[in-house]
Amino acid sequence: QIQSLALIVCLYSSYFFPRIFYYNIKSSKAQLLFFLFSYRIVLYYVQYKGLLFYILQIFWEVFLMDSIIFDVDGTLWDSTGIVAEAWSDYLIHTEHMDTDVSSARLMGLFGQLLPDIAKALFPELPEAEQLRIIDGCCQAEHEALLRKCAPLYPDLEKTLKILSSRFPLFIVSNCQAGYIEVFLKSTGFGHYFKGHLCPGDTGMAKAENIMKIREDNNLSDPVYIGDTIGDFNACRKAGVPFIFAEYGFGQVDKPDYRITRPFDLTEICR
């Protein structure tokens, strides 16, 4: 069955692809050589790496992407531990509130818009008070993250170095103004990225910011890397392919593609 499948693929490709890439090759001998070569390659992929992997490899390499847009939390780093400590310290010592914010709770909240996070944490307070307090929390977190960089996901800088040599890289996150700048300064990764947007900068949600960064930078075919269902829904609204970082905070059932670590992107994004 595997050999039959490979045979069908290669019979088609031996006729079609030489006419695309080598217009002057018309002979049956050339087609036969191309068939024998491609047959062995396809058979290898089907047997040892799986047909789905082979098809996805072809998809990402033929349908050329021209840029990559990243989320931050749960995709590039995990700041929940440092942020939870900073928020709890601010709430207890500055606001005199008996509120302890845990890292686990923040994992379930990160990716939402900041007013929604404030509402979830302080439901008993008026909206204006919620926003005032969450703004103080954010200032405390910025200071904490500049003192100590949050844990980065494995091989992140190696991955960004390779990808930035192939594509322009951008960041779009549902965070407050200044947070992406803190990430770039704390990590020293600013030179890998061409631009960034967030609701704190524009007043718009993630889907609109993805569309804006695409328009502002004349991007034709960007892809987005994120880790939550909110990221997935924003990409669907913006009309951008979504790569799910399954090592992050959320769960997405049917993304366009999955990665288990950042370095996987160097194989997908070529």
Side-chain angles (χ1 to χ4, degrees), residues 74-100:
T75 303
L76 299 176
W77 73 359
D78 180 0
S79 67
T80 54
I82 295 175
V83 172
E85 184 177 348
W87 284 21
S88 295
D89 184 73
Y90 172 80
L91 292 172
I92 293 171
H93 295 101
T94 302
E95 296 294 338
H96 307 291
M97 298 174 65
D98 187 19
T99 303
D100 184 25

Side-chain angles (χ1 to χ4, degrees), residues 98-113:
D98 187 19
T99 303
D100 184 25
V101 181
S102 68
S103 174
R105 189 174 188 191
L106 287 183
M107 284 186 182
L109 294 174
F110 274 17
Q112 299 181 39
L113 292 171

Side-chain angles (χ1 to χ4, degrees), residues 4-16:
S4 298
L5 181 59
L7 181 63
I8 293 171
V9 172
C10 292
L11 282 172
Y12 176 78
S13 64
S14 65
Y15 175 81
F16 184 70

Side-chain angles (χ1 to χ4, degrees), residues 191-233:
H191 59 289
Y192 293 124
F193 294 92
K194 300 296 185 182
H196 53 80
L197 286 177
C198 69
D201 297 328
T202 65
M204 299 187 296
K206 181 166 286 186
E208 287 72 26
N209 281 327
I210 291 173
M211 291 187 279
K212 179 173 174 56
I213 212 163
R214 178 171 57 187
E215 181 180 353
D216 290 350
N217 294 276
N218 297 313
L219 309 178
S220 299
D221 299 291
V223 297
Y224 188 89
I225 322 297
D227 68 304
T228 68
I229 190 64
D231 295 334
F232 172 79
N233 291 334

Side-chain angles (χ1 to χ4, degrees), residues 104-150:
R105 189 174 188 191
L106 287 183
M107 284 186 182
L109 294 174
F110 274 17
Q112 299 181 39
L113 292 171
L114 202 60
D116 296 328
I117 295 177
K119 185 176 181 179
L121 290 176
F122 319 117
E124 72 284 355
L125 298 178
E127 181 179 357
E129 190 68 0
Q130 291 173 358
L131 297 178
R132 183 192 68 79
I133 294 174
I134 203 70
D135 183 66
C137 289
C138 290
Q139 295 307 311
E141 96 181 37
H142 289 182
E143 295 170 6
L145 289 169
L146 288 173
R147 288 194 300 268
K148 180 181 179 180
C149 183

